[in-house]
Amino acid sequence: GNSVTQMEGPVTLSEEAFLTINCTYTATGYPSLFWYVQYPGEGLQLLLKATKADDKGSNKGFEATYRKETTSFHLEKGSVQVSDSAVYFCALSDQGYNQGGKLIFGQGTELSVKP
Amino acid sequence: DVKVTQSSRYLVKRTGEKVFLECVQDMDHENMFWYRQDPGLGLRLIYFSYDVKMKEKGDIPEGYSVSREKKERFSLILESASTNQTSMYLCASSLSRPEQFFGPGTRLTVL
């Protein structure tokens, strides 16, 4: 069945460091891929998405590219800030983008950025 | 902006109690979802609904039921709470696209 695997956390970085959070997936068909972020004490917010192979999603300095050949959707940011400290979830949809469907989430990766 | 609200941020209940968690969305979304979030396990889907009075089981429906009498409201019911249901519960809604909008969560403790 469909699944998402993220690198384990916590990830601890200094401010202005480069961030990579790895995400790989297993899916049949052509899922859409998402990164959600959860700040302390809050629900999840959509950070970025990609709906087909080679698409790059970007938002707030974060980027991720949908790589079908490696079944990956790694999250990157060139220079993290303390305010980026949060839990990051990779997710895929189980149907095509215009068909709605459910999301399947990875286990989450906690990021802590120190000043 | 889409707003998804949940009835309580924190809840403490006793083993065996019947527990209701309420979720309301204000954007006329067709789809609503209930998840539980546990450390190291990510989000696991409990139940979802694609329409009023319609419900489908997710990955971990045991011990839970749901109700959707109105489009904007989706309730999660723990018929007889147990300590292993202590968790963070997240509600979400969506239109026909897969992006989901989440509420702030309810942290439930069952003693």
Side-chain angles (χ1 to χ4, degrees):
Chain A
N2 296 342
S3 66
V4 176
T5 302
Q6 294 179 231
M7 63 186 284
E8 285 195 26
V11 173
T12 303
L13 295 174
S14 298
E15 207 163 22
E16 299 184 2
F18 185 85
L19 169 71
T20 300
I21 299 178
N22 291 336
C23 171
T24 56
Y25 68 90
T26 302
T28 54
Y30 302 95
S32 295
L33 299 173
F34 304 86
W35 276 101
Y36 279 81
V37 58
Q38 184 180 34
Y39 297 105
E42 298 182 12
L44 276 69
Q45 302 173 26
L46 178 65
L47 181 59
L48 53 84
K49 69 178 184 231
T51 59
K52 60 183 187 297
D54 300 325
D55 265 4
K56 178 185 279 188
S58 61
N59 186 25
K60 299 182 181 180
F62 291 89
E63 293 182 340
T65 301
Y66 187 159
R67 302 280 189 205
K68 193 167 174 60
E69 64 277 11
T70 55
T71 62
S72 64
F73 193 54
H74 305 321
L75 183 68
E76 297 182 335
K77 187 176 186 184
S79 176
V80 294
Q81 305 300 313
V82 172
S83 58
D84 294 326
S85 298
V87 180
Y88 292 82
F89 292 91
C90 185
L92 65 83
S93 66
D94 67 343
Q95 296 185 37
Y97 185 67
N98 290 312
Q99 295 172 293
K102 305 190 299 291
L103 291 178
I104 296 161
F105 288 87
Q107 72 270 38
T109 302
E110 183 181 357
L111 170 66
S112 178
V113 180
K114 306 297 184 187
Chain B
D1 276 355
V2 175
K3 191 157 187 186
V4 180
T5 56
Q6 295 184 228
S7 49
S8 306
R9 294 298 300 271
Y10 300 92
L11 209 52
V12 180
K13 296 292 182 180
R14 298 278 180 193
T15 301
E17 279 192 78
K18 190 169 186 176
V19 181
F20 293 87
L21 303 182
E22 305 286 340
C23 175
V24 177
Q25 49 91 7
D26 66 357
M27 285 300 291
D28 205 34
H29 283 177
E30 299 124 357
N31 311 318
M32 297 188 75
F33 306 82
W34 274 108
Y35 297 89
R36 64 176 283 174
Q37 180 183 3
D38 300 288
L41 298 177
L43 274 70
R44 293 180 291 167
L45 183 63
I46 303 171
Y47 268 97
F48 61 103
S49 169
Y50 286 145
D51 203 351
V52 175
K53 296 191 185 295
M54 178 270 177
K55 60 186 178 185
E56 290 196 34
K57 294 179 179 179
D59 300 317
I60 53 163
E62 296 78 18
Y64 303 94
S65 62
V66 290
S67 172
R68 194 167 180 200
E69 296 296 319
K70 293 185 178 181
K71 190 174 186 179
E72 67 270 19
R73 186 180 299 269
F74 192 35
S75 302
L76 180 70
I77 303 155
L78 287 65
E79 296 289 343
S80 178
S82 63
T83 55
N84 63 12
Q85 293 178 310
T86 291
S87 187
M88 170 71 87
Y89 290 88
L90 292 166
C91 175
S93 70
S94 72
L95 280 170
S96 56
R97 301 278 172 88
E99 293 104 312
Q100 294 179 16
F101 297 86
F102 283 81
T106 296
R107 186 166 293 282
L108 172 67
T109 301
V110 183
L111 301 175

